[in-house]
């Protein structure tokens, strides 16, 4: 990020994909950057508008099958997000948004729908809806903390050799194979809502540090109380 400009946080398609408060991920990143004196510009890109390729951190959320298919079609045609990620921008993709980042996902009747291929994953409809709280141990390469969040999806996701699992599930379904989410380069995908970055401020800081470099510590008391409460509710004592 050039020192004379603000950190550009881009929220993709608030009109199509933003279930369970996923848009809160923008607010968390914005607040955690500002607390450290980093100026922020938030950009909300509706599905009728082009995705700028000059952002620093991109966010996309979850949604129903039909808006998910529409979003995938538009992103495939637009290519702004793909250009930004290839240039080195960071991306957090949640649930439907996560599936879209793969090569293929399951549509309304389970039919294969083409994704945009930013992650080496394939999703399809699973045997049953995965709904409820999830807790998972995070990949040591990303700090090895606990991941906490809420999931609600039909899809299951198979990870290819080009990605690493984000975490190993302790409670919940995630990808459906004992792992939850994945990461590759500066792209992170997860099934988790909550919103994910309010539940997992360490993940917000991973994204911020990819964009701006090392970060000063800030008071995480409020976040930690929320995390502890949710983890205590689901983890075996
Ligand atoms: N439609 C997708 C699925 O059911 C994503 C759901 C979501 O984003 N909550 O797997």
């Amino acid at each position: 990020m050039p020192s004379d400009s603000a950190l550009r946080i881009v929220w993709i398609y608030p009109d199509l994909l933003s279930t369970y408060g996923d848009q809160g991920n923008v607010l968390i990143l914005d607040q955690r950057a500002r607390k450290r004196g980093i100026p922020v510009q938030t950009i909300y890109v509706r599905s009728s508008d082009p995705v700028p390729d000059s952002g620093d951190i991109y966010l996309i959320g979850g949604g129903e099958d039909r808006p998910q298919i529409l979003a995938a079609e538009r992103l495939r045609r637009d290519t702004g997000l793909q250009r930004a990620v290839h240039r080195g921008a960071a991306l957090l993709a949640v649930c439907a948004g996560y599936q879209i980042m793969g090569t293929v996902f399951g549509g309304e009747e389970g039919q294969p729908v083409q994704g945009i291929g930013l992650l080496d994953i394939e999703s399809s409809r699973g045997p049953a809806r995965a709904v409820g709280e999830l807790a998972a141990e995070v990949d040591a390469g990303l700090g090895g903390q606990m991941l906490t969040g809420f999931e609600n999806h039909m899809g299951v996701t198979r990870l290819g050799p080009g990605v690493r699992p984000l975490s190993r599930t302790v409670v919940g379904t995630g990808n459906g194979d004992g792992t939850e989410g994945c990461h590759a380069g500066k792209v992170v995908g997860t099934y988790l809502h909550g919103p994910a970055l309010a539940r997992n401020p360490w993940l917000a800081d991973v994204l911020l540090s990819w964009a701006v470099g090392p970060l000063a510590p800030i008071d995480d008391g409020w976040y930690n109380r929320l995390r502890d409460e949710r983890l205590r509710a689901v983890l075996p004592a």
Side-chain angles (χ1 to χ4, degrees), residues 154-167:
M154 276 302 292
V156 291
T157 297
R158 200 178 56 72
L159 308 189
V163 296
R164 290 174 61 88
L166 177 62
S167 60

Side-chain angles (χ1 to χ4, degrees), residues 111-186:
Q111 79 278 16
V113 179
Q114 200 188 335
I116 65 169
L118 284 178
L119 287 172
D120 180 16
I121 59 170
E122 290 182 0
S123 302
S124 55
R125 278 171 91 87
R129 178 163 288 276
V131 51
E133 286 288 316
L134 183 143
E137 283 164 4
V138 173
D139 184 357
L142 284 183
Q145 302 216 22
M146 287 300 285
L147 189 67
T148 162
F150 169 77
E151 63 180 335
N152 185 358
H153 55 101
M154 276 302 292
V156 291
T157 297
R158 200 178 56 72
L159 308 189
V163 296
R164 290 174 61 88
L166 177 62
S167 60
R168 307 250 156 224
T169 47
V170 180
V171 175
T173 302
N175 295 323
D177 63 354
T179 66
E180 192 319 281
C182 77
H183 65 109
K186 294 183 187 169

Side-chain angles (χ1 to χ4, degrees), residues 19-20 62-65 68 94-96 99 129 152-155 191 193:
T19 42
Y20 311 118
E64 304 301 324
D65 294 342
Q68 177 180 13
V94 172
C95 205
Q99 296 176 357
R129 178 163 288 276
N152 185 358
H153 55 101
M154 276 302 292
Y191 272 109
H193 309 279

Side-chain angles (χ1 to χ4, degrees), residues 10 12 51-59 81 84 87 89-92:
V10 183
I12 299 171
V51 178
D53 61 10
S54 56
D56 298 297
I57 304 177
Y58 289 76
L59 300 164
L81 176 62
R87 184 182 47 71
L91 165 66
L92 174 69

